[in-house]
Amino acid sequence: MTDNSAGEFHAMIAASPAGSGRSVGGAWHVHGVVLPEEQPRDLWIDDGRVVEGPVAGARELDRHCWVLPGFVDAHCHIGLGPQGAVSIGDARQQARTDRDAGTLLVRDAGSPIDTHLFDNEPDLPRLIRAGRHIARPRRYLRGFAVEIEPEQLIDEVDRQARRSDGWVKLVGDWIDRGTGDLAPLWEPAIAARAIGRAHELGCRVTAHCFGEQSVAELVGAGIDCIEHGTGVSPAVIDEMARRQVAMVPTLVNIENFPAIADSGQARYPRYAQHMRKLYHGHLDRMRAAREAGVPLYAGTDAGGTIHHGRIGDEIVALGQLGDAQFALGAASWRSRGWLGAPGLGVGESADLVIFDADPRPDLRVCRRPCAVMLRGRLRSR
């Protein structure tokens, strides 16, 4: 697309009813390259869904553009702030910020508040919840997790599974103040029984893991996904690839490891040194995981101390691990398939992100979609 045609497309969006900042439904005709395809095609949208076209009276957005199935933030926390739970109003604003950045599906990887009422608000992203983080007392950030003793783990997994949307989130490791370093929270045998119970209930299990030991033990215990995964060894990578255990590396969060290490240096020097080591090798380990066939997906870890709306930054960061097609798929069509969410086939919900330039030559384009469409309603940036 030339600069002039890009400007014309922006003008077209601005001139549409959505240019007022409102979301506008009805019938739409979008003509563009729908990634990962290579050639332009027509998308006809009516009553919130992709339909066979043409559709009489559809509003035209038929200049060349680039379209992706709505972005997925596969590690996000709607309802979580630096001190723990936030108000429903603040959580709603977090979800809106993610939506406006193009994130139309969120796997909420642990929240201390119940956001099920958002399911009835069609202007908010779709949520797939993992209940609350499950941790041991004083072994995670204060106010984030439900804290229980190991003998209570299976019952708590049962409880969180029933309030979730098919996921359970464990805290796999955190600093042990007695040893002054990262250490697992759960013995492998009890973790395996808890994961088994979640599977009996039809849920998948994921875990926060920074260090080497926790990820190795939890993969061995049958877990379905690892968050962060900075301590994966070659042997664990091979086992994850064999079992197709997914990983969501949250690269924008890992950039905080040096500052985390600095903050713990005086009191926990072993921990600080360990965090720096994990940081300095993380890109090589993530590249090795991708090359081995471990499924990797995009997640920002928004909530807590990470600002919402940073899916574009995570996509750019994922470009360090592979080509643009890998990074975009990790945040869009591949992630949707992993989570059982629709793409842009006929009959599926019209959830899409629109760009006036091809994001593949320069992933930074992903930071500023010119429009998003959620449930068939167009909203300009």
Side-chain angles (χ1 to χ4, degrees):
M1 178 178 285
T2 65
D3 290 343
N4 285 342
S5 60
E8 291 171 1
F9 186 75
H10 267 298
M12 180 182 299
I13 293 287
S16 76
S20 63
R22 298 181 294 113
S23 65
V24 178
W28 294 94
H29 172 213
V30 181
H31 179 79
V33 177
V34 182
L35 297 177
E37 302 168 21
E38 293 290 338
Q39 299 301 318
R41 70 176 173 97
D42 295 298
L43 277 177
W44 296 93
I45 294 153
D46 194 20
D47 196 25
R49 296 190 174 275
V50 178
V51 298
E52 297 280 4
V55 177
R59 296 184 179 93
E60 298 284 344
L61 292 175
D62 60 351
R63 303 295 176 91
H64 284 295
C65 57
W66 284 262
V67 179
L68 283 87
F71 286 148
V72 179
D73 192 335
H75 185 128
C76 188
H77 304 280
I78 304 294
L80 183 65
Q83 306 304 317
V86 301
S87 70
I88 283 291
D90 286 344
R92 183 177 287 111
Q93 185 55 51
Q94 291 174 343
R96 289 171 176 160
T97 299
D98 289 322
R99 173 204 64 199
D100 292 346
T103 294
L104 306 184
L105 176 65
V106 168
R107 186 184 66 145
D108 193 315
S111 177
I113 71 170
D114 185 355
T115 57
H116 279 88
L117 64 90
F118 292 168
D119 293 346
N120 299 318
E121 300 187 29
D123 65 329
L124 297 184
R126 303 174 191 275
L127 296 179
I128 297 173
R129 301 167 186 83
R132 293 195 68 173
H133 301 76
I134 304 175
R136 292 177 61 180
R138 302 187 69 239
R139 290 296 306 278
Y140 197 50
L141 295 165
R142 183 180 299 174
F144 280 40
V146 55
E147 298 183 351
I148 51 99
E149 297 296 343
E151 61 269 21
Q152 300 171 299
L153 179 60
I154 295 173
D155 287 344
E156 191 59 43
V157 162
D158 191 292
R159 186 175 300 109
Q160 296 304 323
R162 296 179 189 279
R163 70 187 293 264
S164 78
D165 300 311
W167 283 89
V168 171
K169 171 71 175 293
L170 305 178
V171 177
D173 64 14
W174 197 248
I175 189 169
D176 183 326
R177 292 168 176 82
T179 63
D181 199 1
L182 292 169
L185 272 68
W186 318 104
E187 292 293 331
I190 187 66
R193 291 198 294 274
I195 291 166
R197 177 56 180 154
H199 290 168
E200 290 172 2
L201 295 171
C203 287
R204 290 183 276 184
V205 183
T206 192
H208 161 109
C209 295
F210 283 167
E212 298 85 353
Q213 185 179 351
S214 65
V215 65
E217 291 177 350
L218 288 169
V219 168
I223 204 161
D224 304 282
C225 182
I226 295 293
E227 311 298 316
H228 319 300
T230 44
V232 289
S233 68
V236 172
I237 286 171
D238 288 346
E239 187 65 11
M240 290 179 71
R242 187 182 72 82
R243 299 189 186 198
Q244 287 295 280
V245 178
M247 184 158 61
V248 183
T250 67
L251 295 177
V252 295
N253 184 24
I254 293 173
E255 285 303 314
N256 291 317
F257 276 26
I260 294 170
D262 290 345
S263 68
Q265 178 65 47
R267 192 171 180 186
Y268 302 112
R270 285 181 57 196
Y271 166 75
Q273 182 181 17
H274 196 174
M275 293 296 286
R276 292 189 185 100
K277 177 183 176 183
L278 292 169
Y279 174 75
H280 287 304
H282 79 279
L283 288 178
D284 287 341
R285 287 188 287 274
M286 299 306 171
R287 290 189 192 103
R290 182 192 66 79
E291 291 166 3
V294 175
L296 268 64
Y297 302 107
T300 66
D301 207 358
T305 59
I306 306 293
H307 293 301
H308 286 262
R310 295 194 61 189
I311 190 64
D313 293 335
E314 186 67 17
I315 294 169
V316 170
L318 285 166
Q320 301 172 89
L321 309 183
D323 60 15
Q325 199 85 334
F326 158 76
L328 292 166
S332 182
W333 59 89
R334 284 196 298 108
S335 194
R336 285 180 166 270
W338 174 54
L339 294 172
L344 290 175
V346 170
E348 295 178 329
S349 181
D351 299 344
L352 51 100
V353 190
I354 304 174
F355 297 94
D356 60 13
D358 187 344
R360 291 171 295 183
D362 185 353
L363 288 171
R364 292 175 297 179
V365 169
C366 294
R367 290 172 172 156
R368 288 201 61 80
C370 63
V372 298
M373 181 176 286
L374 176 60
R375 299 178 176 91
R377 299 185 67 83
L378 186 73
R379 177 182 296 272
S380 66
R381 283 282 301 211

